[in-house]
Amino acid sequence: MSLAEKDEVSVREIERRASTNAPSEEPKDKDDELLALDVRAAAERKLVRILDWRLLPTIVLIFIMNYIDRNAVTAARLKGLTQDLGLSDIQYSTVLAVLYASYVPAQIPSNMILNRITRPSYYIPLCVILWGVTSALTGVTHNYAGILTARLFVGLPEAAFYPGSIYLLSRWYTRKELAFRSAILYGGLLISNAFGSLMAAGILSRMEGKLGIRAWRWVFYIEGAITVTIGILAIFLLPDYPHNTRWLTPAQRRLAQVRLAEDAGEADEDVSTDSAMKGLIMALKDPKVPIFMIMTCSQLLGLGFVNFFPTIAGTLGFSTTVTLLLAAPPWLVATVACCVNAWNADRTGERFFHVCAPWWGVILGYIIGVSTFSIGGRYVAMFLMACGYCGFALTAVWVSNAVPRPPAKRAAAIGLVNGFGNLGNLISSYVWKAEWGPDYHQSMYIGIAALGFATVLSIVIRYILVYQNKRLEQEELSNLHGAKRERIEEAARLEGITFEEALKRKKGFRYLY
């Protein structure tokens, strides 16, 4: 019998015993049935498996479509979009950048809203449906103003997804589980660059002139329709929060709350005084958050090649279809590298080198890119560049680990860091200029400088966390009061232990760096 089968048997047995007991216990006590020592481990593994097979595949699929929709413009450019709409190079760059003009500021209020509402299973799918519809409408545009408006409104609902998904994962997984799951999520982005290129290659090569419509317009119609369908299905697949997810039993919901409380020594819930605005203020006052914001902006500026990857692949000198096919393998390799990097980050609890080392690979790729014009050398550089996103995949995880409680502060911090950070994507829209092609040496020099600066800021964050861990070791019971004491008391209540025992666990909490 496998471990999974043994877990199932153990959990079913405790559920059977609970159902045959005399109904003398209060309903509150029945919620504790999976906390018993003889079934706790098996029940927890079963809960994590349920999340891994239901929550993760759904958000990964959404994330794949998120970036396919976002990068559809770069694929459509290869088949006449700029000519049909009469776009200049600067206008094309503005079309790419304007998405971030709405995407960046909308992330912060979106995550604040997500923290306050009780049904993220409605909120996130609604945003998915809206961006799918708006993306599809991009295909009906006929001029610069039309496509500019369409891309502006694509950015608004898209803003809810990535920071919202990271926040939702942090409400279900412990610190040591979060990095690998977040990397699987971000693997959706990397794989979307591969499959997006393959999908676009198929559409652009086979749909030209069908029903009298240009192939580049079919790219938006087809990809937008797929996104809307996935958004509708997500309503029934995504969970809400540990205390109110409908497709978990009361005992499983209680177990989900307890394991997160044990992980940080505090209940993963806001107290009555933790409003969304207070969470935003707390995040802004935490010196780590502004540094994370600037670091992420610099990082994404250095990784800005992603919006021009088909164009960079085009410098190898092949046809449109071959160019799109060649753009896929680097992202497939990057997906595997991302998962391996995150798995090791979870296993070791280390963050700094797992975030920064992939950037150093990008720097090496840029150095190769400015040093040679050979097809082989530049294609190797493309693999190194793609793998650089393994570091970004762990950035929001590191933020979640560094700003763990209360949830209102964590939600605001993730929104601030990802929102401000994406200004780097906006800036990069003007860094990879067509006039700097086909070698793009200036663009690569800027990327090297940006990633070097991001590394310096990461070192600063690491030293701050080391210092804060030393401060935690000196924390005394007499210093606990107000909302902080209330969250630890709530953790003790959930776990059925004394306040002093919960305090010992709290004092065992350390930031991951």
Side-chain angles (χ1 to χ4, degrees), residues 61-78 81 99 127-139 151 154 158 191-205 207 214-232 310 324:
L61 190 57
I62 294 173
F63 206 29
I64 289 174
M65 296 311 303
N66 175 259
Y67 264 74
I68 287 178
D69 285 347
R70 188 183 302 182
N71 294 328
V73 172
T74 60
R77 184 191 192 189
L78 298 174
L81 177 144
L99 181 145
C127 293
V128 174
I129 293 169
L130 288 176
W131 95 54
V133 170
T134 312
S135 181
L137 291 175
T138 306
R151 301 314 286 174
V154 166
E158 279 197 1
I191 208 75
S192 73
N193 286 291
F195 287 115
S197 295
L198 297 175
M199 184 185 299
I203 296 172
L204 293 176
S205 64
M207 297 301 291
R214 291 296 310 273
W216 70 262
R217 296 185 185 276
W218 280 112
V219 169
F220 294 105
Y221 297 154
I222 294 173
E223 292 178 356
I226 294 172
T227 299
V228 171
T229 302
I230 292 172
I232 294 172
L324 289 170

Side-chain angles (χ1 to χ4, degrees), residues 428-462:
S428 70
S429 299
Y430 298 95
V431 168
W432 293 81
K433 299 178 180 180
E435 62 194 72
W436 286 352
D439 51 24
Y440 293 104
H441 285 178
Q442 297 94 323
S443 307
M444 294 181 183
Y445 290 138
I446 293 172
I448 291 171
L451 292 174
F453 182 54
T455 299
V456 172
L457 293 178
S458 297
I459 293 172
V460 173
I461 293 170
R462 187 178 189 274

Side-chain angles (χ1 to χ4, degrees), residues 35 102 108 110 147 237 272 320 323 354 420 432 435 449 480 500:
L35 302 182
S102 56
I108 301 167
S110 175
I147 193 170
L237 295 173
S272 58
T320 298
T323 293
H354 289 84
F420 185 86
W432 293 81
E435 62 194 72
L480 297 176
E500 288 71 20

Side-chain angles (χ1 to χ4, degrees), residues 157-413:
E158 279 197 1
F161 182 65
Y162 182 65
S165 295
I166 293 294
Y167 176 68
L168 186 60
L169 287 177
S170 74
R171 293 295 300 265
W172 285 98
Y173 290 105
T174 64
R175 288 174 301 148
K176 290 296 183 72
E177 297 167 346
L178 187 58
F180 183 64
R181 271 74 182 186
S182 298
I184 291 176
L185 164 62
Y186 206 76
L189 177 150
L190 303 177
I191 208 75
S192 73
N193 286 291
F195 287 115
S197 295
L198 297 175
M199 184 185 299
I203 296 172
L204 293 176
S205 64
R206 295 180 177 273
M207 297 301 291
E208 181 65 41
K210 298 292 184 180
L211 301 180
I213 299 172
R214 291 296 310 273
W216 70 262
R217 296 185 185 276
W218 280 112
V219 169
F220 294 105
Y221 297 154
I222 294 173
E223 292 178 356
I226 294 172
T227 299
V228 171
T229 302
I230 292 172
I232 294 172
L233 294 175
I235 296 174
F236 306 100
L237 295 173
L238 286 178
D240 293 307
Y241 294 124
H243 70 278
N244 68 340
T245 294
R246 290 158 291 186
W247 39 264
L248 292 178
T249 67
Q252 288 174 323
R253 291 197 293 267
R254 179 68 178 276
L255 175 61
Q257 295 175 73
V258 167
R259 64 192 225 101
L260 289 179
E262 291 175 348
D263 184 52
E266 296 181 2
D268 193 36
E269 297 176 5
D270 293 318
V271 298
S272 58
T273 57
D274 290 337
S275 66
M277 185 54 65
K278 184 176 179 181
L280 176 62
I281 294 171
M282 286 190 291
L284 289 171
K285 286 183 176 180
D286 189 328
K288 299 189 297 291
V289 175
I291 299 174
F292 266 120
M293 291 165 63
I294 299 171
M295 180 270 279
T296 305
C297 180
S298 185
Q299 172 189 185
L300 288 178
L301 173 58
L303 299 176
F305 63 83
V306 66
N307 295 319
F308 299 86
F309 208 72
T311 302
I312 296 171
T315 65
L316 299 177
F318 298 99
S319 67
T320 298
T321 300
V322 173
T323 293
L324 289 170
L325 293 176
L326 286 173
W331 296 112
L332 295 174
V333 172
T335 302
V336 176
C338 182
C339 292
V340 172
N341 185 54
W343 171 81
N344 193 62
D346 268 348
R347 188 177 65 85
T348 62
E350 201 280 333
R351 292 292 181 261
F352 170 77
F353 287 107
H354 289 84
V355 170
C356 294
W359 304 344
W360 304 336
V362 178
I363 291 175
L364 177 60
Y366 284 153
I367 292 173
I368 294 173
V370 300
S371 303
T372 180
F373 286 98
S374 72
I375 293 177
R378 292 177 74 87
Y379 197 49
V380 169
M382 288 173 62
F383 278 87
L384 291 170
M385 291 159 64
C387 289
Y389 269 87
C390 298
F392 181 66
L394 296 181
T395 301
V397 176
W398 200 10
V399 174
S400 181
N401 294 155
V403 190
R405 301 291 186 272
K409 179 183 178 182
R410 184 170 77 242

